[in-house]
């Protein structure tokens, strides 16, 4: 989690997440980057699954938003980062939202807490009434 | 317009092979289609082949569990076949172990499991 700030490569892509179709596009884009970054098959699967959960959260709970994704470097390591941003209602109780099984909607309550377990770095900024930003990174081993 | 996943009938088993990256609405449609086809055909088993599926997130995982529960109520057993190792690892880490869903490594083993329903104890609820 700590260490120097990851340096993003120049060519990060941004896509809007406004429909179920965009959730599919988001995970396909992250998969392409994970392959380019030469993540192991298990790590690719974990990252793409986390991206799928977070993209759906952006759509369902955030009322839509954007995903920005690309390769990042820190020291000599390369990773894939994906940042999900919405201007939705925000999360009033973060501890609760990160608890397994808790959901404010109709889901299983595993999206946020599960996504956090599947990645190496996870940061979440949220403000009630303003929106939520979740950033995840998976580093090549 | 979302595409629909075809449901095939072989004997008294319904076979679904998921070949595309599933959109959430397609997943929900499949769940409805399967329930309707079980009743229409009187099928006693359902095989869901996920060999080609690269990720199973909590939404698809929940569909698998719900479909197994619905088909059980409609007097049919569900077996999920062909899960990739990376998918299994990710699902467990995500927190979904799909306790009520029967699995088999291959389509052949899945069909075999349905042909001999008493060969295994029932899944725990």
């Amino acid at each position: 989690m700590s260490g120097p700030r990851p340096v993003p490569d120049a060519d990060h892509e941004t896509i809007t997440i406004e429909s179920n179709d965009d959730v599919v596009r988001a995970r396909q884009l992250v998969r392409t980057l994970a392959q380019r970054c030469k993540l192991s098959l298990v790590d690719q699967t974990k990252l793409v699954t986390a991206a799928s959960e977070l993209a759906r959260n952006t759509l369902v709970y955030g009322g839509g938003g954007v995903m920005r994704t690309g390769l990042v470097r820190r020291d000599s390591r390369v990773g894939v980062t994906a940042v999900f941003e919405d201007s939705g209602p925000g999360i009033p109780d973060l501890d609760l939202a990160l608890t397994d099984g808790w959901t404010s909607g109709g889901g299983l309550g595993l999206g946020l807490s599960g996504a956090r377990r599947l990645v190496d770095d996870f940061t979440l900024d949220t403000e009630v009434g303003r929106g939520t930003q979740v950033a995840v990174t998976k580093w090549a081993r | 317009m979302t595409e629909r996943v075809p449901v095939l009938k072989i004997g008294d088993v319904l076979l679904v092979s998921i070949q595309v990256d599933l959109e959430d609405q397609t997943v929900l449609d499949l769940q409805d289609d399967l329930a309707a086809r079980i009743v229409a055909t009187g099928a006693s088993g359902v095989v869901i082949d996920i060999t080609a599926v690269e990720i199973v997130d909590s939404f698809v995982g929940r569909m698998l569990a719900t479909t197994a529960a619905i088909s059980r109520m409609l007097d049919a057993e569900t077996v999920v076949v062909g899960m990739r190792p990376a998918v299994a690892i990710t699902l467990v880490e995500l927190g979904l172990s799909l306790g009520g869903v029967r699995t088999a490594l291959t389509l052949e083993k899945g069909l075999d499991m349905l042909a001999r329903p008493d060969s295994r104890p029932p899944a725990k609820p």
Side-chain angles (χ1 to χ4, degrees):
Chain A
M1 287 290 189
S2 57
R5 212 179 145 74
V7 181
D9 280 12
D11 54 346
H12 279 210
E13 286 184 65
T14 301
I15 64 167
T16 57
I17 299 175
E18 272 155 14
S19 69
N20 285 330
D21 206 34
D22 294 333
V23 176
V24 175
R25 284 201 305 136
R27 62 185 178 230
Q28 285 169 348
L29 182 54
V30 171
R31 178 183 297 125
T32 306
L33 289 165
Q35 286 165 349
R36 198 185 302 163
C37 182
K38 296 198 165 44
L39 292 185
S40 73
L41 189 56
V42 171
D43 283 350
Q44 283 179 33
T45 306
K46 287 181 180 180
L47 178 65
V48 176
T49 305
S52 185
E53 301 291 345
L54 296 172
R56 185 178 297 105
N57 281 357
T58 298
L59 179 66
V60 175
Y61 301 105
V66 295
M67 177 187 77
R68 200 167 60 248
T69 184
L71 301 186
V72 281
R73 285 163 209 284
R74 187 164 66 197
D75 305 327
S76 59
R77 300 179 80 187
V78 188
V80 181
T81 197
V83 183
F84 299 83
E85 213 171 330
D86 66 61
S87 326
I91 304 171
D93 188 338
L94 202 51
D95 286 342
L96 194 58
L98 282 166
T99 304
D100 269 355
W102 188 87
T103 176
S104 66
L108 288 171
L110 291 173
L112 210 49
S113 53
R116 181 163 67 163
R117 279 194 294 274
L118 294 175
V119 296
D120 296 322
D121 299 353
F122 179 97
T123 58
L124 197 159
D125 288 309
T126 185
E127 196 180 328
V128 173
R130 292 210 166 247
T132 301
Q133 188 195 69
V134 184
V136 295
T137 307
K138 194 98 186 157
W139 298 99
R141 316 240 162 252
Chain B
M1 252 322 259
T2 56
E3 51 188 321
R4 285 180 115 85
V5 180
V7 179
L8 310 175
K9 183 173 174 294
I10 307 172
D12 56 358
V13 171
L14 297 178
L15 173 63
V16 177
S17 188
I18 298 171
Q19 300 290 330
V20 291
D21 196 340
L22 291 179
E23 200 192 289
D24 289 0
Q25 189 56 48
T26 311
V27 172
L28 296 174
D29 290 344
L30 174 59
Q31 196 168 293
D32 292 352
D33 288 350
L34 263 176
R37 287 292 298 277
I38 291 169
V39 172
T41 61
S44 64
V46 175
V47 174
I48 303 177
D49 170 33
I50 59 167
T51 309
V53 174
E54 288 175 332
I55 70 144
V56 174
D57 62 13
S58 65
F59 193 84
V60 173
R62 177 167 64 158
M63 180 278 278
L64 295 174
T66 310
T67 300
I70 292 170
S71 56
R72 200 170 297 132
M73 280 194 189
L74 298 174
D75 198 21
E77 245 343 281
T78 300
V79 183
V80 173
V81 305
M83 188 182 291
R84 299 179 178 201
V87 169
I89 292 168
T90 302
L91 264 178
V92 171
E93 198 150 321
L94 188 63
L96 262 182
S97 50
L98 299 185
V101 180
R102 299 175 85 185
T103 56
L105 288 181
T106 63
L107 176 59
E108 194 175 6
K109 285 184 175 173
L111 289 171
D112 197 45
M113 198 183 269
L114 290 174
R116 295 181 292 110
D118 298 329
S119 61
R120 273 188 159 199
K124 291 196 179 82

